[in-house]
């Protein structure tokens, strides 16, 4: 099964809709709660990052018997130093984003912890693509 | 202890009645949303001063039945509307986080 969503730049109000819709689908499919939890934590964090740090993008989710693969691709500034970005506590979030309670530098570490595989492709000035896999078996 | 009993004991204002009979065994207090995303557990109450719609988005994703907003802050209109859609109980305390957490801890520890 394949699902596609779009992420709008700076639109925090609707952020989380894709994660919420994926959660409903996984529930209907009878995926076990622990895997649903991992999936939605990772997807929400990636979605928020595309809103907060980039200029929006797309989400593609593929679900089969064995795994869930989520690809979040943004048109954004890219990540100059992935090792640094993966460190808990590192953040370049703007004042506005911090005021909302983001910017703890915990999003990418949360994604890493909650997925079985995380691939980050990033190009400065072009964008960032996160490929996140949750194994179901 | 149920959400309903906690509302009475902590003198909370209830802005969206939902999950009143949910049994609360723990809570998480943080204003950092990714901290809640990473560390709160389903079924826990969430104590925060954040009042925007991402709070209910996270509560829904994490199966958090009730949110306590501290220091008399009011939820944004779209947060409250979203709480109604998602059946999340929204509570307001006039007291600050430390006091709310202390009292709740005494009740459910
Ligand atoms: N899609 C992206 N485009 C550009 N930069 C990004 C992107 N995602 C993450 N980053 C960079 O990596 C940093 C760390 O991201 P991470 O999600 O861990 O923390 P945060 O978003 O700053 O805060 P939190 O997620 O705790 O609210 C960001 O501050 C930003 O500098
Ligand atoms: Mg983040």
């Amino acid at each position: 099964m394949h699902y596609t969503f779009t992420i709008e730049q700076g639109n925090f109000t609707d952020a989380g809709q894709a994660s919420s819709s994926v959660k409903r689908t996984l529930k209907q499919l009878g995926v076990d709660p622990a895997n649903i939890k991992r999936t939605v934590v990772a997807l929400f964090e990636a979605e928020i990052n595309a809103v907060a740090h980039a200029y929006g993008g797309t989400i593609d989710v593929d679900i089969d018997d064995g795994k869930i693969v989520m690809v979040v691709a943004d048109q954004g500034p890219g990540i100059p130093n992935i090792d640094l970005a993966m460190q808990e506590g590192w953040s370049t979030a703007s004042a506005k984003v911090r005021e909302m309670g983001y910017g703890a530098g915990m999003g990418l570490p949360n994604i890493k912890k909650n997925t079985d595989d995380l691939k980050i492709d990033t190009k400065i000035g072009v964008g960032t693509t996160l490929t996140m896999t949750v194994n179901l078996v | 202890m149920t959400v309903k009993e906690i509302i009475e004991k902590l003198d909370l204002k209830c802005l969206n009645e939902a999950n009143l009979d949910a049994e609360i065994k723990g809570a998480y207090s943080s204003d950092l949303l990714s901290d809640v995303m990473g560390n709160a557990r389903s079924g826990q109450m969430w104590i925060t001063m954040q009042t925007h719609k991402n709070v209910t988005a996270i509560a829904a994703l994490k199966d958090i039945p009730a949110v306590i907003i501290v220091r008399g802050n009011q939820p944004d209109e779209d947060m409250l509307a979203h709480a109604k859609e998602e059946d999340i109980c929204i509570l307001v305390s006039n007291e600050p986080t430390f006091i709310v957490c202390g009292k709740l801890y005494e009740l459910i520890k």
Side-chain angles (χ1 to χ4, degrees):
Chain A
M1 257 167 299
H2 182 91
Y3 302 87
T4 306
F5 306 88
T6 51
I7 311 169
E8 271 175 66
Q9 172 181 14
N11 186 347
F12 283 96
T13 311
D14 291 332
Q17 275 183 7
S19 315
S20 158
S21 154
V22 168
K23 183 183 177 185
R24 258 195 311 276
T25 303
L26 295 177
K27 255 186 169 169
Q28 279 161 10
L29 292 173
V31 173
D32 77 286
N35 282 330
I36 295 180
K37 275 179 208 157
R38 296 198 298 138
T39 303
V40 298
V41 168
L43 187 56
F44 182 83
E45 293 289 6
E47 201 180 340
I48 288 291
N49 279 353
V51 174
H53 306 300
Y55 321 132
T58 55
I59 302 174
D60 284 278
V61 182
D62 275 288
I63 305 168
D64 65 34
D65 286 348
K67 60 185 188 307
I68 303 167
V69 180
M70 301 170 275
V71 179
V72 179
D74 67 53
Q75 296 85 47
I79 304 176
N81 185 334
I82 292 177
D83 289 340
L84 206 53
M86 289 305 300
Q87 274 179 32
E88 192 161 314
W90 168 262
S91 176
T92 62
S94 68
K96 181 194 165 244
V97 168
R98 285 177 196 272
E99 214 168 87
M100 293 183 74
Y102 294 109
M106 295 178 75
L108 287 173
N110 277 349
I111 294 173
K112 180 88 193 152
K113 266 179 245 165
N114 283 281
T115 53
D116 295 300
D117 190 61
L118 166 64
K119 195 157 94 22
I120 304 178
D121 294 306
T122 188
K123 206 166 168 211
I124 301 303
V126 179
T128 301
T129 300
L130 258 65
T131 306
M132 306 175 285
T133 306
V134 171
N135 293 332
L136 297 175
V137 283
Chain B
M1 180 159 294
T2 64
V3 171
K4 197 170 167 206
E5 288 168 306
I6 292 170
I7 294 173
E8 283 158 16
K9 295 223 154 75
L10 262 57
D11 194 21
L12 304 170
K13 199 159 127 204
C14 184
L15 301 184
N16 185 45
E17 291 196 3
N19 308 316
L20 294 182
D21 296 323
E23 188 69 26
I24 302 297
K25 296 204 179 74
Y28 200 77
S29 172
S30 180
D31 303 321
L32 294 171
L33 302 186
S34 291
D35 177 28
V36 176
M37 214 50 204
N39 298 310
R41 288 194 233 119
S42 66
Q44 290 184 327
M45 256 184 170
W46 176 11
I47 300 140
T48 186
M49 58 181 287
Q50 296 291 347
T51 54
H52 58 86
K53 198 182 158 192
N54 287 193
V55 170
T56 40
I58 290 170
L61 290 174
K62 298 284 291 184
D63 295 319
I64 287 172
V67 177
I68 304 180
I69 301 174
V70 297
R71 278 210 346 252
N73 286 302
Q74 296 301 307
D76 294 349
E77 244 169 66
D78 58 356
M79 171 178 159
L80 196 55
H82 192 231
K84 288 180 178 153
E85 278 170 36
E86 295 281 353
D87 278 329
I88 295 159
C89 184
I90 303 295
L91 305 166
V92 175
S93 167
N94 285 323
E95 294 176 308
T97 306
F98 178 71
I99 307 288
V100 174
C101 290
K103 287 183 177 174
L104 186 57
Y105 181 78
E106 278 305 316
L107 285 179
I108 65 175
K109 71 179 175 189

